[in-house]
Structure formats: structure tokens, C-alpha cells
Amino acid sequence: MNRNIIFGFLGITLLLGLVLWWMESDSIETKEKSITKNWKTEFRLNSKNPRDLGFFQQLLETHTSDSLYIIKKWWEIDKVPNKDSATYIFVGEQFGLEDALYNQLVQHVDSGATMILAFDHVSSNIYKRYFKQGAYYWDYSDRLYTWVDNQTLTFPMVYENDTIFGDWYTFASDEIKDTNFRAYAYALNEPIAFYLKQGKGKIHFHSVPRLFENYQVLGKNGFAHTSKILKQIPEDQAIVWLKLGDMNDFESSSSNSDEQGDGNEKEDNSLIQYIMKSAALRMAFVLGIILLLLYVLFRGKRKEEILAGVPEPRNMSIAFVETLSSIYLSKRSPIGVLQVLRKNFFMAVNRHFYIDLTQKDKLEENTKRLIEKSNYDGDKLKEIIQSLDPRKNEVNEKHLGTVYRNIRSFYIETGVVKKRDYFVAAGKHIVGHKSIVSAGVGLLLAVSMIVRGLYSLAQGGGLGVIYVILGATLLYVAYRILSKPLFEIGENTFTLNGFVWGSKTYAIDQGIQTVVSKNSTMIHFEDGQSITIQHSLLSRSGKIALAQFIEHLKQLTV
């Protein structure tokens, strides 16, 4: 943020502070809403952070007529009444217990207790009891489509304000040892929740613990899923939370730091009150604000860099090569780079062809399926897979280069990636600013209204508050017009911003036709969208940037 913008914000802040001082009184109590924005913690109890389990914990406490016991040490289980009929539950990333401790839990289940385990990963000693090798399927996506109680429920993966991609796990029904299991929730045509009969009780397994997080439970689909889980829990028995089985213990002494403090700050108005009591100081304060606004108006002229010409299309493979080179230099081992290439190749194949090459026992079968699906030369594909095994190759720089070229050739021939041309001027983000005429008129009107309002306030007139508010609003609108460019051109996107608010992004890695007239430029995209840019709204540099972009498109169509 440059100096001019800082001064502009400072002026607006002073104006708003003055207006609030006139409009508010000391007798009015202000309350500040506490909005939790901590997305880093996960699977914590007694927390309302988006990815913790506070709301699911409250539903459990409401569901049972007994109590919810959180067990961190094994000896604490002795305080639980009717242990042979209680419900033992765990929700977290990793679950594990020693055989002796887990056997004691199983004894309670044999006597009629219920155990529910929701995890991404489980210790090997427990895994081998119930699952064969390769008991998980996974999908890398930004949302999960599930089937629960004869209805489809969709769950997005959210972090802060964005929907992100991540791994969703399901159980492989063929790899569950007990073939008498009963599933009651599905995704990707495989179970995500099922139970096994154990003596007089049941053991439930769930493969997606993220569905119990606060931001999921508060949604309609999340509540429907949670209600299905609660139906598996007896209402008249105690619930025991197996905190001692959490292999990633997120509890710390600062776990409740977000909830400490009352969140209210006292506003000190002593200085402004002192200024307003004296007519001379009050007039000096108003003149200082006016001088500050005049400085922003006349000295805050936007300075733009001269745009470079249209260069040759950029080779985006360089970025990937630089990434691999950084990995090689950090590890000092070509095997590390080969492992990265292998992992990325297997993930790309799984994402685009839905074939998992990581299963060693089905590698030959999956390779044949991939050859049929991709219509790629079988010998070349087998050579790629063979070259990714460090035990069967002499891994050096020459081998890495060959592997990368072969994988790149596979991606292009099968359509996984496409060669694209990008509009990049000297590697910079290109913007087309608006004309300064409309914003300049708005700034003059805003300053006039603010001066008129402050003068009226200095004379004791209540109407001055309205002038100041309207002037501050107009000043903000003029600032938005000046600061927000009319369009922005990235490597593969064209963003058209509204004159004051709003924006829309278009992909430029598609067919584009342009019609240029004296007053406007029309751009038609292959996907059916079109935009019109009026030349009168652009500054001189913005017109040059638009002309260069149009010239670049003409070169691509030659």
C-alpha cells in the first residue's frame, strides 16, 4: 500500500471519527460481536471454531439422558457407571490404542456396549483386526456426495472463505474381513459408515471424521448426517469420549485462548473532546482535515509503469522444472525427485482415469485398464511405470530427464494437459485503469460537502452531520473508482470489474473473437459469453493495454 492510499484512509478515518463523536453519546453501550476465524485447529472438544467438534459434542450431551465423560487417562474410565452398556466414541484424524487397552474396550462391547470410531487413520494393530490390505478408497475433490437414509447429501471442503480440494476416504467393501458388516452411509459407491456385531454389542466405523466438524454439523446436510449417527447411540446410557486414543493430541494450555477476554475496548475521546471545546482548536482541526484531503487530491496522482510489448507465449513448464530442481537441491538426491514424479503421475492418473496404480497387487490389471481408457501406446506406458521404480533403475539426472519427457508426452497425448498460449507482459499482472475524470468530479463534490458539513457542525448546526456522511460516502465511491481497475489480465484469465462494485472473470485459454470500433471494443468468447468495454471509461494507459491484448489475440489466430 503506497503513501497516498494511507493518507486517504487516514482522512476518511478522521472524518468518520468526528461524525461518530457527534452522533453517539456516552450513555450508549456498544457491543462487539465475536466472530471466530480460527480455522487452524481441528477435532477439538469444547470449541466453536469451524473445524472443531463443539456443536457435535452439544448434540451428544442433548441426546443422552446420562452424561458425557471425556477420558484422557485409562484409569478415569472407572468413574463411568454401567461401563458394559455405555457408548464409547472417538472422532479425529488418527486413532490408536495398545492391544491390552483396546481388548478391555472390546470386552465391554461383548457385554452390550457400543463403540463408534471415526478416523482418517488407525494404528496397525487395530487395522489388522478388521481390514485386509488396501481397505481404503479415496477421491481428491472439493466436495463429497454421500447417500444417507435414501437421500443424497453433499459436503464441501471449506477452509476460511474458500472451497478447497482434499482427500475423501471410503472403505473398500471387499477388504473388510467380516463379510456380515452392515453399512448405513455411502459415498463413491462404497461405505463410509458401517457396523459389526461384537458379542452383544456393536462396533461402528466411519471413514470421514470431517463430517462431524462444526461448520458441517451446522448445515442442513451435516445435521441430517449427524442425526443418522445419533440413532446408533442408546439414549439412556452414558457416552464416553475416548480422548486417550487421539494420536494427534491438539489440546494445549492455550486451547481456549480465543475465548479469553471480553473483546470490548474502551474508546478514549479525551483528546477530541478537548479540541472541540475550543473554537480556535476546532477550526484548526477542520482546516487540517481539508489540507490533508487537498494533498490526497493533488499529490495522489496515480503513476503507472510503461507496459512492455507483447512477448512470445510463456512456457509454463519452466515453473514445474524449477520446482523439481528446488526439491533436488534441498534433498541432494535424484531419488527424491523421482518419488515426487511418481506420486504426481499416480495422482493424475487416478484423478482423470479413476485408476489406482498404487495397488501393487493389481498393478498389471490396472495398467491394462489404463491402456484401454487412455488409448495410449501400451509399451510406452509400461516403460513409464517401469521407469518410476527406483529399485529397477539407475536413478540419475539423465534418467529424471527421460522420465519427465515421457510423462509430459503422456499428459499431452491423452488430453490431461493442453498446450496453451498466455498473455503475459514482462511477467507482470496487467491492469487497465479507469479514466480520472469521473473520479475527479466525485472527489471535488465530496470535499465540498465535507467542508460544508464541518462548517455547519462548527456553528452548532445538526444538518452538518448529513453533509459529512454524504461527503464521506461520495469520497469512498470516488476512491473505489480510482483504485479499482476496469479490467485485469492474468496468465489465463480476463477479469472485468464493475465501475464501482462487482467483477466477473473470463477464461482466455479458449477461442476469442474481437470487434473494435471507434468508441468500444466487443470481446466474444467461445463459451458463449461476451463483454463490451467503452473506451471513454479507460485511462490512456488502459487503452494501450487493451490494444496490446487485442493485438496479441490477432497474432494467435494467424
Side-chain angles (χ1 to χ4, degrees):
M1 183 179 292
N2 59 35
R3 182 177 56 184
N4 301 324
I5 297 178
I6 294 176
F7 283 139
F9 277 121
L10 181 60
I12 294 174
T13 303
L14 291 175
L15 288 174
L16 293 179
L18 179 62
V19 172
L20 292 176
W21 184 86
W22 283 99
M23 296 181 62
E24 294 181 352
S25 63
D26 294 337
S27 61
I28 299 177
E29 296 182 359
T30 58
K31 295 183 179 180
E32 182 179 291
K33 293 182 179 180
S34 176
I35 302 176
T36 299
K37 296 183 179 179
N38 187 355
W39 287 80
K40 294 182 180 180
T41 62
E42 194 171 17
F43 301 123
R44 296 193 313 176
L45 297 174
N46 300 310
S47 172
K48 295 183 180 180
N49 291 335
R51 301 172 68 199
D52 289 329
L53 304 173
F55 293 113
F56 178 62
Q57 179 184 357
Q58 293 179 9
L59 291 176
L60 288 176
E61 293 172 345
T62 305
H63 177 78
T64 180
S65 58
D66 203 307
S67 299
L68 174 65
Y69 300 87
I70 301 175
I71 305 302
K72 297 181 181 180
K73 303 292 181 181
W74 184 252
W75 54 266
E76 294 178 353
I77 202 171
D78 294 335
K79 64 183 180 182
V80 178
N82 302 320
K83 292 186 286 294
D84 290 340
S85 58
T87 297
Y88 300 87
I89 188 169
F90 172 84
V91 177
E93 182 182 6
Q94 298 190 62
F95 176 76
L97 285 174
E98 296 179 358
D99 285 330
L101 300 180
Y102 188 75
N103 288 335
Q104 293 185 43
L105 282 179
V106 173
Q107 290 179 6
H108 294 312
V109 176
D110 287 333
S111 301
T114 301
M115 184 160 58
I116 300 177
L117 305 177
F119 50 77
D120 280 335
H121 307 283
V122 66
S123 58
S124 59
N125 60 322
I126 299 177
Y127 178 93
K128 293 177 181 178
R129 294 188 182 208
Y130 305 103
F131 304 102
K132 303 175 185 177
Q133 186 176 4
Y136 280 106
Y137 288 131
W138 60 276
D139 181 44
Y140 184 75
S141 177
D142 60 345
R143 61 192 68 244
L144 179 69
Y145 298 92
T146 64
W147 180 255
V148 181
D149 275 347
N150 297 323
Q151 57 180 332
T152 300
L153 305 179
T154 304
F155 297 93
M157 183 174 292
V158 179
Y159 189 84
E160 295 182 346
N161 295 327
D162 298 321
T163 301
I164 62 174
F165 280 75
D167 293 332
W168 302 93
Y169 294 98
T170 68
F171 295 109
S173 55
D174 295 338
E175 304 300 325
I176 301 174
K177 290 185 177 181
D178 190 346
T179 57
N180 294 320
F181 71 91
R182 294 292 182 268
Y184 51 88
Y186 298 86
L188 307 175
N189 296 323
E190 294 290 347
I192 62 172
F194 69 91
Y195 70 84
L196 307 171
K197 291 185 177 180
Q198 179 73 37
K200 297 180 180 180
K202 296 178 181 178
I203 301 179
H204 297 253
F205 294 93
H206 199 296
S207 64
V208 193
R210 292 189 182 94
L211 301 188
F212 298 89
E213 293 178 348
N214 290 335
Y215 80 92
Q216 298 282 18
V217 174
L218 289 176
K220 179 181 178 181
N221 292 347
F223 184 78
H225 165 265
T226 305
S227 300
K228 180 65 177 180
I229 300 300
L230 293 177
K231 291 179 182 178
Q232 316 300 323
I233 302 176
E235 298 181 5
D236 56 345
Q237 301 297 333
I239 297 178
V240 181
W241 191 278
L242 299 174
K243 184 63 180 174
L244 77 167
D246 192 352
M247 299 174 66
N248 286 340
D249 191 358
F250 291 104
E251 297 291 341
S252 64
S253 59
S254 60
S255 61
N256 296 323
S257 59
D258 294 333
E259 302 174 5
Q260 294 176 356
D262 55 8
N264 297 322
E265 297 181 359
K266 295 182 179 180
E267 185 179 1
D268 185 10
N269 294 322
S270 59
L271 181 58
I272 190 69
Q273 288 178 355
Y274 177 77
I275 294 175
M276 290 301 169
K277 287 179 181 179
S278 172
L281 292 178
R282 184 166 61 245
M283 185 57 65
F285 179 70
V286 172
L287 291 175
I289 294 177
I290 295 174
L291 291 174
L292 180 61
L293 292 175
L294 291 176
Y295 175 83
V296 174
L297 178 63
F298 294 104
R299 297 290 296 176
K301 183 179 179 181
R302 183 173 65 249
K303 298 178 181 179
E304 300 176 341
E305 297 180 359
I306 298 176
L307 294 174
V310 180
E312 293 294 329
R314 182 183 177 188
N315 185 3
M316 295 304 296
S317 299
I318 296 177
F320 183 71
V321 174
E322 291 175 349
T323 302
L324 289 180
S325 64
S326 64
I327 296 173
Y328 176 75
L329 292 175
S330 63
K331 293 188 175 183
R332 293 296 180 183
S333 171
I335 295 180
V337 178
L338 184 64
Q339 292 173 347
V340 174
L341 289 172
R342 181 175 182 268
K343 180 180 179 181
N344 291 341
F345 178 75
F346 285 178
M347 289 179 63
V349 169
N350 196 357
R351 188 179 306 118
H352 292 276
F353 300 101
Y354 303 99
I355 297 176
D356 188 4
L357 297 178
T358 60
Q359 300 182 18
K360 297 181 180 179
D361 54 338
K362 298 181 180 180
L363 180 59
E364 184 176 353
E365 176 186 349
N366 290 338
T367 302
K368 293 180 180 179
R369 291 174 54 206
L370 180 57
I371 294 173
E372 295 174 357
K373 274 192 171 185
S374 64
N375 198 25
Y376 190 71
D377 185 86
D379 294 334
K380 291 183 179 180
L381 181 59
K382 291 178 181 179
E383 180 183 351
I384 292 175
I385 298 175
Q386 181 77 11
S387 65
L388 291 172
D389 191 348
R391 298 171 298 180
K392 300 179 180 180
N393 298 276
E394 182 181 353
V395 183
N396 50 35
E397 288 81 359
K398 182 179 179 181
H399 179 73
L400 292 176
T402 302
V403 172
Y404 173 74
R405 286 192 298 270
N406 293 339
I407 292 177
R408 181 69 179 174
S409 175
F410 173 81
Y411 286 164
I412 294 175
E413 291 188 26
T414 57
V416 175
V417 298
K418 297 179 181 179
K419 292 184 178 180
R420 299 174 180 175
D421 293 318
Y422 300 101
F423 175 69
V424 179
K428 297 181 179 179
H429 189 72
I430 304 304
V431 296
H433 286 287
K434 305 183 185 78
S435 174
I436 199 173
V437 175
S438 57
V441 174
L443 281 176
L444 290 176
L445 290 175
V447 171
S448 300
M449 296 180 68
I450 291 173
V451 171
R452 175 68 179 84
L454 291 176
Y455 178 79
S456 178
L457 288 174
Q459 299 298 321
L463 191 61
V465 174
I466 298 177
Y467 280 107
V468 171
I469 293 176
L470 292 177
T473 303
L474 188 57
L475 185 65
Y476 174 74
V477 171
Y479 165 75
R480 289 279 303 181
I481 295 175
L482 273 178
S483 61
K484 197 73 173 177
L486 186 61
F487 65 84
E488 303 174 68
I489 306 175
E491 290 183 346
N492 59 353
T493 58
F494 185 102
T495 302
L496 182 65
N497 298 311
F499 197 67
V500 181
W501 291 284
S503 64
K504 190 171 183 181
T505 301
Y506 305 85
I508 59 177
D509 54 346
Q510 58 178 311
I512 300 176
Q513 295 292 332
T514 60
V515 178
V516 181
S517 64
K518 181 179 179 180
N519 299 322
S520 64
T521 296
M522 296 184 65
I523 303 177
H524 302 278
F525 297 90
E526 187 179 15
D527 57 7
Q529 301 184 87
S530 62
I531 57 177
T532 301
I533 301 176
Q534 299 294 333
H535 296 164
S536 60
L537 299 179
L538 288 170
S539 64
R540 186 174 62 87
S541 61
K543 294 176 182 178
I544 295 175
L546 180 62
Q548 289 182 348
F549 177 65
I550 299 301
E551 185 64 24
H552 171 74
L553 295 178
K554 292 179 180 179
Q555 292 180 6
L556 292 180
T557 56
V558 174

